[in-house]
């Protein structure tokens, strides 16, 4: 009797395992994915051909589900991929159409990636802000228009937001500062206007803020200096004005700062040049003026230091020659004068890096 009971128990477990293995995703979620697919056209790779049958968790390309509940958790469709499907055809992806709001009915989504397809147009569905479990939203590299959803700050779990390389306009929503877990923000190469939110510094977890190639105005918020994990700040190629906040030079983690291609003015804070953690500093094509602070130290290690196309005057700082490393240095198109310092950081730098100043001389320019 005991043996019979054990056999029945074992068979029951086996049957449950088999049923679990073949349980399809919820019909409503399958319908949502098919509606999402219907709004898109992918003519070359044919991966949507795998989107058939009742189980969208099984072999549907780019779809992943929670193994316990069967709910769809990931939609991962990248047009630039190392997937063998792409390599076999020897081409990157191309897709047209729009992103259907039906995708928002997948309430358990943790990642939504529809990136680098070049031809997807239309607006970002406003309903994405209802996806409370979303941690990754990447819609970069398309032709999306319209504005960033006003309530983007409602996606409190979001850690990566990438909308770069689209045609998105309007202002950066003020609610964005509510994304307390955001670590990576890329809004570059769009048509965004208005000012960077004054309390941008509330994004304390942010390590990369990429806002270049837009039409942003106003100044760099002082609150940025409170972002203790920020390593990369790129606001180049905008219409920013005002001074560089002195506090930026005191940020210990910040290693890349790109302010080039704006209309900023004033002096360069000495702490920005003496900060030994700074590796890439591009201030070119602005209206900065005054002398270049003579504050470089033996631990200064610049892969890029570009101060070209400004209004700097005076001499080249002699302390530059004490720098540990100077990869790319460009001081051209200013009003500098005097002798170019001698030292290892200058040995490999050509004349173009010093050209179009008032009266510089010495190697690699003419003899003084």
């Amino acid at each position: 009797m005991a043996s019979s009971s054990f056999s029945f128990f074992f068979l029951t477990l086996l049957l449950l395992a088999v049923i679990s293995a073949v349980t399809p995703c919820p019909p409503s979620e399958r319908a949502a994915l098919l509606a999402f697919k219907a709004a898109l056209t992918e003519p070359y790779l044919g991966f949507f051909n795998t989107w058939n049958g009742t189980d969208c968790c099984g072999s549907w390309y780019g779809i992943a589900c929670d193994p316990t509940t069967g709910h769809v958790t990931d939609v991962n469709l990248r047009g630039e991929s190392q997937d063998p499907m792409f390599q076999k055809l020897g081409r990157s992806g191309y897709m047209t159409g729009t992103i259907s709001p039906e995708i928002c009915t997948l309430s358990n989504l943790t990642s939504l990636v529809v990136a680098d397809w070049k031809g997807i147009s239309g607006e970002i569905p406003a309903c994405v802000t209802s996806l409370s479990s979303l941690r990754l939203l990447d819609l970069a590299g398309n032709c999306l228009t319209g504005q960033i959803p006003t309530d983007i700050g409602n996606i409190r779990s979001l850690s990566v937001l990438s909308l770069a390389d689209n045609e998105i306009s309007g202002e950066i929503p003020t609610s964005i500062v509510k994304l307390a877990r955001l670590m990576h923000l890329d809004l570059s190469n769009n048509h965004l206007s208005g000012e960077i939110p004054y309390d941008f510094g509330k994004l304390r977890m942010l390590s990369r803020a990429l806002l270049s190639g837009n039409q942003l105005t106003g100044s760099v918020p002082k609150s940025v200096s409170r972002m203790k994990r920020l390593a990369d700040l790129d606001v180049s190629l905008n219409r920013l004005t005002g001074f560089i906040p002195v506090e930026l030079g005191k940020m210990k983690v910040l290693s890349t700062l790109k302010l080039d291609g704006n209309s900023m003015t004033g002096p360069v804070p000495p702490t920005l040049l003496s900060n030994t953690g700074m590796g890439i500093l591009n201030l070119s094509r602005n209206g900065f003026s005054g002398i270049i602070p003579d504050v470089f130290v033996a631990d200064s290690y610049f892969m890029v230091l570009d101060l070209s196309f400004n209004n700097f005057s005076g001499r080249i700082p002699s302390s530059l020659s004490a720098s540990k490393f100077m990869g790319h240095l460009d001081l051209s198109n200013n009003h500098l004068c005097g002798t170019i310092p001698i030292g290892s950081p200058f040995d490999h730098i050509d004349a173009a890096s010093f050209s179009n100043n008032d009266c510089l001389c010495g190697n690699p320019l003419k003899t003084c």
Side-chain angles (χ1 to χ4, degrees), residues 67-259:
T68 304
T69 65
H71 289 299
V72 176
T73 55
D74 301 274
V75 176
N76 190 349
L77 302 174
R78 291 191 183 276
E80 303 287 345
S81 173
Q82 298 301 314
D83 189 283
M85 182 184 296
F86 289 77
Q87 295 179 349
K88 183 178 180 180
L89 291 177
R91 61 168 299 134
S92 58
Y94 180 76
M95 186 154 45
T96 58
T98 60
I99 299 175
S100 171
E102 289 295 318
I103 201 71
C104 303
T105 63
L106 302 175
S107 58
N108 294 278
L109 273 186
T110 58
S111 64
L112 175 57
V113 179
V114 187
D116 300 318
W117 293 103
K118 307 174 186 65
I120 296 178
S121 57
E123 299 187 5
I124 301 169
C127 58
V128 296
T129 61
S130 67
L131 297 172
S132 58
S133 299
L134 202 62
R135 294 195 293 266
L136 167 60
L137 178 59
D138 186 353
L139 306 178
N142 292 297
C143 295
L144 298 176
T145 55
Q147 300 185 6
I148 300 172
T150 303
D151 296 326
I152 193 73
N154 288 349
I155 317 176
R156 299 300 176 89
S157 298
L158 206 60
S159 60
V160 176
L161 175 60
S162 180
L163 305 176
D165 302 311
N166 279 290
E167 298 175 16
I168 299 168
S169 58
E171 299 187 0
I172 299 174
T174 55
S175 72
I176 203 167
V177 302
K178 296 179 181 179
L179 299 175
R181 299 181 183 179
L182 195 65
M183 293 186 287
H184 177 100
L185 174 65
D186 191 353
L187 306 179
S188 58
N189 300 318
N190 279 287
H191 305 301
L192 296 172
S193 57
E195 299 187 4
I196 301 170
Y198 77 94
D199 51 353
F200 195 68
K202 286 184 177 179
L203 297 171
R204 301 295 176 86
M205 297 292 289
L206 202 64
S207 62
R208 302 191 76 199
L210 310 178
L211 308 177
S212 65
N214 284 289
Q215 299 163 19
L216 298 173
T217 54
S219 57
V220 177
K222 290 183 180 180
S223 65
V224 167
S225 64
R226 297 200 295 267
M227 305 165 76
K228 305 302 183 183
R229 302 190 181 197
L230 189 65
D232 187 349
L233 175 61
D234 186 355
V235 293
S236 62
L237 302 174
N238 278 289
R239 299 175 182 177
L240 299 178
T241 54
F243 291 11
I244 301 174
V246 175
E247 295 83 357
L248 292 191
K250 301 175 183 178
M251 298 177 68
K252 295 181 179 180
V253 177
L254 188 64
S255 60
T256 298
L257 177 61
K258 297 180 180 179
L259 305 178

